[in-house]
Amino acid sequence: MAIPTDKLLSDRCSVCTPLIAPPASCTTTALRKSYEGQKCTTCILLWDALSGKIDLHNPIIERIESVGGYGFFSLAAGPAERRFTAGSLWDYVSVTLAVEGEAYCPSALKWLPILKKSPLSRSKDRDIKLIKDRIEDCRRNHPECPNLDDEQLPTRVIDVGLGGQGPFLHISQGRRGRYIALSHRWGEPSSSHKKLLTLKENIAMHCKGIPLDYFPKTFRESIEVARGLGVQYVWIDSLCIVQDDKADWEVEAGRMADVYSNAFATIFADRATHSDDGLFQNKKDGDGQRSVRAVEFKDHNSGIAARVLVQTQINSNIANFATDVSELFCLAEQSVSQLTGRGWILQEEALSRRRIHFTETELKWKCASVANCDCGLRTQPDMADPSRNFAILEDPKKGKTSPWTSASWLWQKLIEHYTSRSLTYESDRLIALAGMATKIPRPPKDYLAGMFRDQLDANILWEAKGAPSRCYRTKKYVAPSWSWASVSGKIRFIPLSSDMRWVWKILDAQCSPEGNNSDFGQVASGYLRIRSKVSHVQVEERPQNMRKEIAQEHWDAGDAIWRPRGNEVRYLAIIPAQAIPDASAPPPSRVELDVQSDWDELISGNQSDLRLLCVAITDGYWEGCAAQFGSCLLLKRSLKQENCWERVCYVTVFGTWKSWEPYVADEEVTII
């Protein structure tokens, strides 16, 4: 709480005068007495800055010390004898102070650095001006960024009414122009927040006009941003796609790549939990737990109040290399996005050429040339950023500086990231990725349910990783069993070894799209015809020597490696179905299932309907001896289609593959 200072007598006293010229120190008792006497505005400022983080009445806090240099001013509080012996100086500092430069800066505070842009002073007008400046800089000074001034408009857009009229749904009919796309979270379907959808029954009415107060807050504020930037059109999915028309939805979903990649800019409503939550920072955001707070300082001479910002959570990794006070007060990394965990948003991030992120702390900008936040600091490149990986897939020339990143590896990393996100409808598992897939330079017919034909060898080796959430087979048909898209949950691809030798041969692979979907959308059916080494196998439960509590924890987390059974723990082992005279039985290999529901089916079903198909062999060591490991797929006979098989899971055959050779035969197998 700011402390009123109307009756203070001085801006400075003998206690604080040394402190504002660091390095200096005083006792906590001296500062407390000056604060309680309400005679010195600076002492009250320093006490209020520290007491917001530390209990200064604690008897072990005996000493207040000021730390300066490099244009910073900080305070540390602790015992009389400094106990700072290791780590960074910034680990010892308690708070850092700066004057808010966008407001009144009294001469009495000239000993403090000035923060030109305050993270606590965002406003609608300031945000729009900042966006306008960023776009203008991008257009003038970023040769790598496309202009996007005259692109073909999506099928439908919202005309925001630059001429003074109200907004309406505009049928573009192939016209060109500038538009802004909105990426937002719809919110739970059962929620009571305001919603606005285009349906068959109201599309004609929407084309005539939509009163501004009909729009949910996030949509309405997107229109305000577009008007402020002088952009005539906005694309919003729930309004520009007819939501109860399946055929229209399928066609428009297939055009997502162009919608986002051709947008003049894309607005990301990171702070909004639903469509009526808004873009701009509001009081709710400011009331949250933030590391920066404001303390009022009333100038004794003028009587005008100034705001001093106090940073209470100093990141020593940043502070050690900071050259400007703005780096210590940046809140960009303290925002929590409502979008990054959503599956649909990944392609919207990757495809958008200019990204404007409205977070609850700062406004973030990202284009092909630069990424920065509200305070102007550049965001360091993230090597794991899926947008970066996609950019190389889309334009392989950009990957010349990273020769170790093959197209197959980049796609796998993209899928691993994508499957860690959530989708409201599991049927969207391929559709929500289609926009990115269309932009990768490959023939459409070579895209097979989330994989590319020339990468099948590597991409077929995947496993579902249950923890921390349970994986399951999609209830409705989404993809063939050999595709990662057939399982809902996080996917991990098996790392490839340089000495891996492929055993199988892909004879044919096809997928058929469903309805009006493109080759990149929903799949109606698919098959993989293979010739390889195949063994007739069976799966059985075996005891595992481990604590039941540990196994239960893994099982509850979604893993299907061990399973508690009464007082025992069991695992699944795969062995040849029949013994062969004069041939030693290979050691059993552990089966780690993708989904827990397969466990009971495997051990209770018809064991004659299981096959082990070898994909590749890798050299290694087993119990101190040279060995060959088999990378295999466990298959079960399909009940859906005669003479076909379905993938169960990936299996690593331990020991040596030679011990399996008496049990395998060359066979042609069709997996659906």
Side-chain angles (χ1 to χ4, degrees), residues 153-183:
L153 296 173
T155 306
R156 306 176 193 91
V157 285
I158 299 296
D159 189 316
V160 302
L162 290 181
Q165 73 272 34
F168 62 92
L169 184 64
H170 172 71
I171 311 298
S172 64
Q173 297 179 328
R175 294 188 182 91
R176 306 179 71 85
R178 297 191 305 178
Y179 66 94
I180 288 174
L182 173 65
S183 176

Short mmCIF file of all heavy atoms in Angstrom, two decimals, residues 153-183:
data_model
loop_
_atom_site.label_atom_id
_atom_site.label_comp_id
_atom_site.label_asym_id
_atom_site.label_seq_id
_atom_site.Cartn_x
_atom_site.Cartn_y
_atom_site.Cartn_z
N LEU A 153 -7.87 -12.42 -49.96
CA LEU A 153 -8.61 -12.52 -48.71
C LEU A 153 -9.17 -13.93 -48.54
O LEU A 153 -9.46 -14.62 -49.52
CB LEU A 153 -9.76 -11.51 -48.71
CG LEU A 153 -9.39 -10.03 -48.75
CD1 LEU A 153 -10.64 -9.17 -48.91
CD2 LEU A 153 -8.62 -9.61 -47.51
N PRO A 154 -9.34 -14.37 -47.29
CA PRO A 154 -10.04 -15.64 -47.05
C PRO A 154 -11.46 -15.58 -47.60
O PRO A 154 -11.96 -14.51 -47.97
CB PRO A 154 -10.03 -15.76 -45.52
CG PRO A 154 -8.91 -14.89 -45.05
CD PRO A 154 -8.86 -13.75 -46.03
N THR A 155 -12.14 -16.71 -47.63
CA THR A 155 -13.50 -16.78 -48.19
C THR A 155 -14.41 -15.73 -47.56
O THR A 155 -15.17 -15.04 -48.25
CB THR A 155 -14.09 -18.18 -47.95
OG1 THR A 155 -13.19 -19.16 -48.48
CG2 THR A 155 -15.45 -18.31 -48.62
N ARG A 156 -14.35 -15.62 -46.24
CA ARG A 156 -15.14 -14.62 -45.52
C ARG A 156 -14.25 -13.89 -44.53
O ARG A 156 -13.34 -14.48 -43.94
CB ARG A 156 -16.30 -15.27 -44.76
CG ARG A 156 -17.21 -16.14 -45.62
CD ARG A 156 -18.29 -16.82 -44.80
NE ARG A 156 -18.95 -17.88 -45.57
CZ ARG A 156 -18.55 -19.15 -45.59
NH1 ARG A 156 -17.53 -19.52 -44.83
NH2 ARG A 156 -19.19 -20.04 -46.32
N VAL A 157 -14.50 -12.62 -44.33
CA VAL A 157 -13.79 -11.81 -43.34
C VAL A 157 -14.80 -10.85 -42.70
O VAL A 157 -15.88 -10.61 -43.26
CB VAL A 157 -12.62 -11.00 -43.96
CG1 VAL A 157 -11.44 -11.89 -44.28
CG2 VAL A 157 -13.09 -10.25 -45.21
N ILE A 158 -14.43 -10.31 -41.56
CA ILE A 158 -15.25 -9.27 -40.92
C ILE A 158 -14.74 -7.92 -41.39
O ILE A 158 -13.56 -7.59 -41.20
CB ILE A 158 -15.16 -9.36 -39.38
CG1 ILE A 158 -15.67 -10.70 -38.88
CG2 ILE A 158 -15.94 -8.21 -38.74
CD1 ILE A 158 -17.14 -10.95 -39.13
N ASP A 159 -15.60 -7.16 -42.05
CA ASP A 159 -15.27 -5.77 -42.40
C ASP A 159 -15.48 -4.94 -41.14
O ASP A 159 -16.58 -4.88 -40.60
CB ASP A 159 -16.18 -5.28 -43.53
CG ASP A 159 -15.74 -3.93 -44.09
OD1 ASP A 159 -15.42 -3.03 -43.27
OD2 ASP A 159 -15.73 -3.77 -45.32
N VAL A 160 -14.40 -4.30 -40.65
CA VAL A 160 -14.47 -3.62 -39.35
C VAL A 160 -15.14 -2.26 -39.44
O VAL A 160 -15.42 -1.64 -38.41
CB VAL A 160 -13.06 -3.47 -38.73
CG1 VAL A 160 -12.41 -4.83 -38.57
CG2 VAL A 160 -12.17 -2.54 -39.55
N GLY A 161 -15.39 -1.77 -40.66
CA GLY A 161 -16.09 -0.50 -40.81
C GLY A 161 -15.19 0.70 -40.61
O GLY A 161 -15.44 1.55 -39.74
N LEU A 162 -14.14 0.81 -41.44
CA LEU A 162 -13.24 1.96 -41.33
C LEU A 162 -13.92 3.27 -41.71
O LEU A 162 -13.52 4.34 -41.26
CB LEU A 162 -12.00 1.74 -42.22
CG LEU A 162 -11.01 0.66 -41.78
CD1 LEU A 162 -9.84 0.59 -42.76
CD2 LEU A 162 -10.49 0.94 -40.37
N GLY A 163 -14.94 3.18 -42.53
CA GLY A 163 -15.62 4.40 -42.98
C GLY A 163 -16.66 4.91 -42.01
O GLY A 163 -17.39 5.85 -42.33
N GLY A 164 -16.77 4.31 -40.85
CA GLY A 164 -17.73 4.77 -39.86
C GLY A 164 -18.94 3.88 -39.72
O GLY A 164 -19.70 4.02 -38.76
N GLN A 165 -19.15 2.96 -40.67
CA GLN A 165 -20.28 2.05 -40.54
C GLN A 165 -19.94 0.92 -39.57
O GLN A 165 -18.80 0.72 -39.19
CB GLN A 165 -20.68 1.48 -41.92
CG GLN A 165 -19.73 0.44 -42.49
CD GLN A 165 -18.61 1.04 -43.31
OE1 GLN A 165 -18.13 2.13 -43.02
NE2 GLN A 165 -18.20 0.31 -44.34
N GLY A 166 -20.94 0.16 -39.19
CA GLY A 166 -20.73 -0.94 -38.27
C GLY A 166 -20.09 -2.13 -38.97
O GLY A 166 -20.11 -2.24 -40.20
N PRO A 167 -19.53 -3.06 -38.21
CA PRO A 167 -18.90 -4.24 -38.81
C PRO A 167 -19.94 -5.19 -39.41
O PRO A 167 -21.10 -5.22 -38.99
CB PRO A 167 -18.17 -4.90 -37.63
CG PRO A 167 -18.86 -4.39 -36.41
CD PRO A 167 -19.37 -3.02 -36.75
N PHE A 168 -19.49 -5.98 -40.39
CA PHE A 168 -20.37 -6.97 -41.01
C PHE A 168 -19.51 -8.07 -41.62
O PHE A 168 -18.30 -7.90 -41.84
CB PHE A 168 -21.27 -6.33 -42.08
CG PHE A 168 -20.53 -5.72 -43.24
CD1 PHE A 168 -20.27 -6.45 -44.39
CD2 PHE A 168 -20.08 -4.40 -43.17
CE1 PHE A 168 -19.58 -5.88 -45.46
CE2 PHE A 168 -19.40 -3.82 -44.23
CZ PHE A 168 -19.14 -4.57 -45.38
N LEU A 169 -20.15 -9.21 -41.89
CA LEU A 169 -19.45 -10.34 -42.52
C LEU A 169 -19.37 -10.09 -44.02
O LEU A 169 -20.39 -9.90 -44.68
CB LEU A 169 -20.20 -11.64 -42.22
CG LEU A 169 -19.55 -12.94 -42.72
CD1 LEU A 169 -18.21 -13.18 -42.02
CD2 LEU A 169 -20.48 -14.13 -42.49
N HIS A 170 -18.17 -10.11 -44.53
CA HIS A 170 -17.93 -9.77 -45.94
C HIS A 170 -17.54 -11.03 -46.71
O HIS A 170 -16.62 -11.76 -46.31
CB HIS A 170 -16.80 -8.73 -46.02
CG HIS A 170 -16.33 -8.44 -47.42
ND1 HIS A 170 -17.08 -7.75 -48.32
CD2 HIS A 170 -15.17 -8.77 -48.06
CE1 HIS A 170 -16.41 -7.64 -49.46
NE2 HIS A 170 -15.25 -8.25 -49.33
N ILE A 171 -18.23 -11.32 -47.82
CA ILE A 171 -17.87 -12.43 -48.70
C ILE A 171 -16.85 -11.89 -49.70
O ILE A 171 -17.18 -11.02 -50.52
CB ILE A 171 -19.10 -12.99 -49.45
CG1 ILE A 171 -20.25 -13.25 -48.47
CG2 ILE A 171 -18.72 -14.26 -50.21
CD1 ILE A 171 -19.95 -14.27 -47.40
N SER A 172 -15.63 -12.40 -49.67
CA SER A 172 -14.54 -11.75 -50.39
C SER A 172 -14.57 -12.01 -51.89
O SER A 172 -14.11 -11.17 -52.67
CB SER A 172 -13.20 -12.21 -49.83
OG SER A 172 -13.02 -13.60 -50.05
N GLN A 173 -15.05 -13.17 -52.34
CA GLN A 173 -15.15 -13.49 -53.77
C GLN A 173 -13.82 -13.28 -54.49
O GLN A 173 -13.76 -12.74 -55.60
CB GLN A 173 -16.25 -12.67 -54.44
CG GLN A 173 -17.64 -12.97 -53.88
CD GLN A 173 -18.73 -12.14 -54.53
OE1 GLN A 173 -18.48 -11.00 -54.92
NE2 GLN A 173 -19.92 -12.69 -54.62
N GLY A 174 -12.73 -13.69 -53.84
CA GLY A 174 -11.41 -13.64 -54.48
C GLY A 174 -10.73 -12.29 -54.43
O GLY A 174 -9.64 -12.12 -55.01
N ARG A 175 -11.33 -11.30 -53.77
CA ARG A 175 -10.70 -9.98 -53.71
C ARG A 175 -9.43 -10.02 -52.88
O ARG A 175 -9.20 -10.94 -52.09
CB ARG A 175 -11.67 -8.96 -53.12
CG ARG A 175 -12.89 -8.68 -53.99
CD ARG A 175 -13.68 -7.51 -53.42
NE ARG A 175 -14.88 -7.25 -54.20
CZ ARG A 175 -16.07 -7.77 -53.95
NH1 ARG A 175 -16.21 -8.60 -52.93
NH2 ARG A 175 -17.10 -7.50 -54.72
N ARG A 176 -8.63 -9.00 -53.02
CA ARG A 176 -7.35 -8.92 -52.32
C ARG A 176 -7.37 -7.75 -51.36
O ARG A 176 -8.18 -6.83 -51.48
CB ARG A 176 -6.18 -8.78 -53.32
CG ARG A 176 -6.17 -9.88 -54.38
CD ARG A 176 -5.02 -9.71 -55.36
NE ARG A 176 -3.74 -10.00 -54.74
CZ ARG A 176 -3.22 -11.22 -54.64
NH1 ARG A 176 -3.89 -12.27 -55.11
NH2 ARG A 176 -2.04 -11.41 -54.09
N GLY A 177 -6.47 -7.77 -50.40
CA GLY A 177 -6.39 -6.69 -49.43
C GLY A 177 -5.59 -7.10 -48.21
O GLY A 177 -4.85 -8.10 -48.23
N ARG A 178 -5.71 -6.33 -47.14
CA ARG A 178 -5.02 -6.62 -45.87
C ARG A 178 -6.05 -7.06 -44.84
O ARG A 178 -7.14 -6.49 -44.76
CB ARG A 178 -4.29 -5.38 -45.35
CG ARG A 178 -3.17 -4.89 -46.26
CD ARG A 178 -2.32 -3.84 -45.59
NE ARG A 178 -3.08 -2.70 -45.09
CZ ARG A 178 -2.57 -1.67 -44.43
NH1 ARG A 178 -1.27 -1.63 -44.18
NH2 ARG A 178 -3.31 -0.69 -44.03
N TYR A 179 -5.68 -8.04 -44.06
CA TYR A 179 -6.56 -8.49 -42.97
C TYR A 179 -5.72 -8.96 -41.80
O TYR A 179 -4.56 -9.36 -41.95
CB TYR A 179 -7.51 -9.59 -43.44
CG TYR A 179 -6.83 -10.89 -43.81
CD1 TYR A 179 -6.70 -11.92 -42.88
CD2 TYR A 179 -6.32 -11.10 -45.09
CE1 TYR A 179 -6.08 -13.12 -43.22
CE2 TYR A 179 -5.71 -12.29 -45.43
CZ TYR A 179 -5.59 -13.30 -44.50
OH TYR A 179 -4.97 -14.47 -44.84
N ILE A 180 -6.31 -8.90 -40.63
CA ILE A 180 -5.68 -9.39 -39.40
C ILE A 180 -6.40 -10.66 -38.98
O ILE A 180 -7.63 -10.72 -38.99
CB ILE A 180 -5.75 -8.33 -38.29
CG1 ILE A 180 -4.78 -7.19 -38.59
CG2 ILE A 180 -5.43 -8.94 -36.92
CD1 ILE A 180 -4.88 -6.02 -37.65
N ALA A 181 -5.64 -11.69 -38.65
CA ALA A 181 -6.22 -12.95 -38.16
C ALA A 181 -6.18 -12.95 -36.64
O ALA A 181 -5.27 -12.37 -36.03
CB ALA A 181 -5.46 -14.15 -38.71
N LEU A 182 -7.16 -13.59 -36.03
CA LEU A 182 -7.22 -13.69 -34.57
C LEU A 182 -7.03 -15.15 -34.15
O LEU A 182 -7.70 -16.05 -34.66
CB LEU A 182 -8.57 -13.19 -34.04
CG LEU A 182 -8.81 -13.40 -32.53
CD1 LEU A 182 -7.83 -12.57 -31.71
CD2 LEU A 182 -10.26 -13.06 -32.16
N SER A 183 -6.10 -15.36 -33.23
CA SER A 183 -5.90 -16.67 -32.62
C SER A 183 -6.36 -16.56 -31.18
O SER A 183 -5.83 -15.76 -30.41
CB SER A 183 -4.42 -17.07 -32.69
OG SER A 183 -4.19 -18.29 -32.02
#
